[in-house]
Amino acid sequence: MLEATPKPSPARAPRLRSHRGWPLRRSLLVATIALAGYAWTRHSSVSAVIARNSQPPLQQLSLQQPGSHSGYAHTAAEEMAERASAGGSDEKQESAAGKKYEDVTRTAGAAGGSSSSAPTAGAGGAVGGKAKPREQQQAQGQHSYVPSPFEDALRACSSLSCIREAHKQPKHPGQFNFPHFYLLGFPKCATTSLFHHLIQHPQVMAPIVKEPDFFTNLCKDSAAACDPHEQELYINTTLHRNIALSARMHMAVFEGSTHYSLAGDWLAPQLKELMPWVKLVLSIREPISRAISMLQHNLDHQRFPKCYDRERRLIFKCIKANLEDSSVRYAPRLKAWVENFPGEQLHIMQYEDLTGSGMKTALRDLKRFIGIDPKLPSASPDDLGLHNARRDNYTEGWPMTLQEYRVLVALAREDTGDALSMVARHGVAAASRWQQAWERGWQNNLQRCTQSKQEGDDDALCMIPAS
Ligand SMILES: Nc1ncnc2c1ncn2[C@@H]1O[C@H](COP(=O)(O)OS(=O)(=O)O)[C@@H](OP(=O)(O)O)[C@H]1O
């Protein structure tokens, strides 16, 4: 049997999943250190969003909110200088952050400031450490920011049920919910690439790690009754509530844990109860190829399941077991999500569309669904990028008999047929096109396999690619 657990991301930060077996305190220490670095990077996003969304000139605003990290009172100019001397570790994030700093600096300059001389300003108008009377500010056309009742309520929260109540308070126009969306899965359906694409967007904020697995690891029985300390950590450390508040809720906060998609039976109703506003993003890949990707993940990590014939590189038994496993089959896993959330809150993509010629449209549709600018991030808005690819690339394919491949196709067809008609019934996706595309792929493989087979040689192996 294949493990449903996908491989650890090769991305810069380790997934929390890999912390399993570590003492909790050590995991938290690592997460805190990582968060410190991440918060600095995200700080630039906050500044850019504030600059973009604020009426008053940037240098008159304070990013510091009561209870937030004091570092957020820095000006864009200070950030620039400190960031430049600090150096960086992740090329992509650095360049994205650099662009955001440029945005901030330009905005400050356009507003009459200069990147080198912009003074530090507080929400109360404290420039250079001295407070200005409100009348003086008003006379100069300056005004302080008044948080929405939603922000005030959210700031006081340390539990998920408190956050649910906070959402009953009015928001300012353009403010995002908290969290705004989840990247649910499915495993091996390009979720790591999606995560990295989205976190480059100036209107998006995510945890430093993909797959925090909060609900599935820490709050399995009841998310609402989850350990209060864990809830608080999730809100503050994983979801960065204070940074989101510093950005005046103009950033879409999300997290991406692919195990959530598989846990819909209990998690979907709980999330619906706790976060009825939340948007959910899923991607679906042709099941045989997804199963091969999962197996390859294990092989890449020197894990050789019993079903795998290592000597002859035969994978049929493993793939068959995976396709029969209801804990990873699409139809049973999707059911609870589709039944608990309305179509407007679910965005389901086809992996092959997303990673192929439909990439540009798929990415823009996704960003429209989230409610962020579909043309950003500006460096490569329409390029998903490639993360978490299999290490060993058996381009010649995997050996199996025609009969075996037929068995796999029948299992895959049944699952995708059930899943897609269910989502179509709920108005979630126009899915018949996806099934047709997968069907074409299966037929091509069957045809190639039939042609390569000698007459009467039923045991002949053909090579099946994981596309
Ligand atoms: N842009 C693009 N084009 C083509 N393929 C892509 C792309 N981005 C991700 N991928 C493939 O998606 C697979 C990894 O999916 P995930 O990141 O969701 O895996 S995981 O569950 O988080 O471990 C993994 O598939 P395999 O290589 O077949 O294993 C990646 O190669």
Side-chain angles (χ1 to χ4, degrees), residues 6-9 15 17 186-194 210-211 258 285 289 292-294 296-297 351 354-356 359 383-391 466-467:
K7 62 193 162 194
S9 165
R15 295 179 183 186
R17 183 180 308 155
F186 281 91
K188 295 296 162 202
C189 296
T191 56
T192 311
S193 297
L194 273 170
K210 179 175 173 269
E211 317 265 350
T258 52
R285 178 177 183 172
S289 149
I292 293 177
S293 171
M294 276 184 173
Q296 280 192 318
H297 156 73
Y351 164 92
L354 176 69
T355 59
M359 186 184 286
D383 184 4
L384 178 63
L386 178 59
H387 290 263
N388 208 7
R390 65 186 88 140
R391 285 185 208 155
S467 48

Side-chain angles (χ1 to χ4, degrees), residues 24-257:
L24 180 62
R25 280 182 195 287
R26 198 184 315 170
S27 298
L28 290 175
L29 178 66
V30 170
T32 310
I33 292 166
L35 175 65
Y38 175 71
W40 189 248
T41 304
R42 296 310 300 174
H43 181 192
S44 61
S45 309
V46 172
S47 306
V49 170
I50 293 265
R52 203 170 282 119
N53 293 301
S54 298
Q55 292 305 316
L58 179 84
Q59 69 272 32
Q60 295 167 7
L61 296 174
S62 166
L63 299 181
Q64 188 171 14
Q65 298 285 347
S68 72
H69 191 287
S70 61
Y72 298 122
H74 286 193
T75 61
E78 287 166 341
E79 287 167 18
M80 288 273 289
E82 289 182 28
R83 184 83 170 150
S85 63
S89 56
D90 184 300
E91 212 176 284
K92 266 197 180 151
Q93 287 220 1
E94 287 301 308
S95 63
K99 174 75 182 65
K100 289 168 193 171
Y101 281 115
E102 282 168 27
D103 289 349
V104 171
T105 319
R106 255 201 303 279
T107 312
S114 110
S115 64
S116 59
S117 62
T120 305
V127 176
K130 286 184 188 160
K132 277 185 187 177
R134 186 169 288 249
E135 302 73 43
Q136 199 181 335
Q137 288 175 28
Q138 280 166 353
Q140 292 175 2
Q142 301 172 1
H143 50 89
S144 53
Y145 177 70
V146 179
S148 64
F150 166 60
E151 286 172 84
D152 284 338
L154 182 62
R155 187 171 293 117
C157 284
S158 57
S159 70
L160 295 170
S161 50
C162 172
I163 287 178
R164 180 185 53 205
E165 295 309 303
H167 279 77
K168 294 178 181 162
Q169 298 298 322
K171 298 187 184 68
H172 287 332
Q175 292 194 318
F176 286 106
N177 290 315
F178 180 86
H180 186 63
F181 70 103
Y182 280 95
L183 178 53
L184 287 184
F186 281 91
K188 295 296 162 202
C189 296
T191 56
T192 311
S193 297
L194 273 170
F195 179 88
H196 285 275
H197 181 83
L198 288 171
I199 61 172
Q200 292 175 54
H201 197 288
Q203 289 172 280
V204 169
M205 192 164 81
I208 184 161
V209 282
K210 179 175 173 269
E211 317 265 350
D213 275 339
F214 169 73
F215 292 109
T216 38
N217 275 358
L218 300 171
C219 296
K220 198 165 176 146
D221 295 332
S222 166
C226 183
D227 181 283
H229 180 63
E230 296 294 355
Q231 292 192 44
E232 199 170 351
L233 271 179
Y234 182 62
I235 293 164
N236 284 322
T237 309
T238 306
L239 298 180
H240 308 303
R241 183 257 316 268
N242 285 346
I243 304 180
L245 281 168
S246 294
R248 296 175 186 166
M249 306 312 293
H250 281 290
M251 292 183 90
V253 172
F254 85 103
E255 65 122 317
S257 298

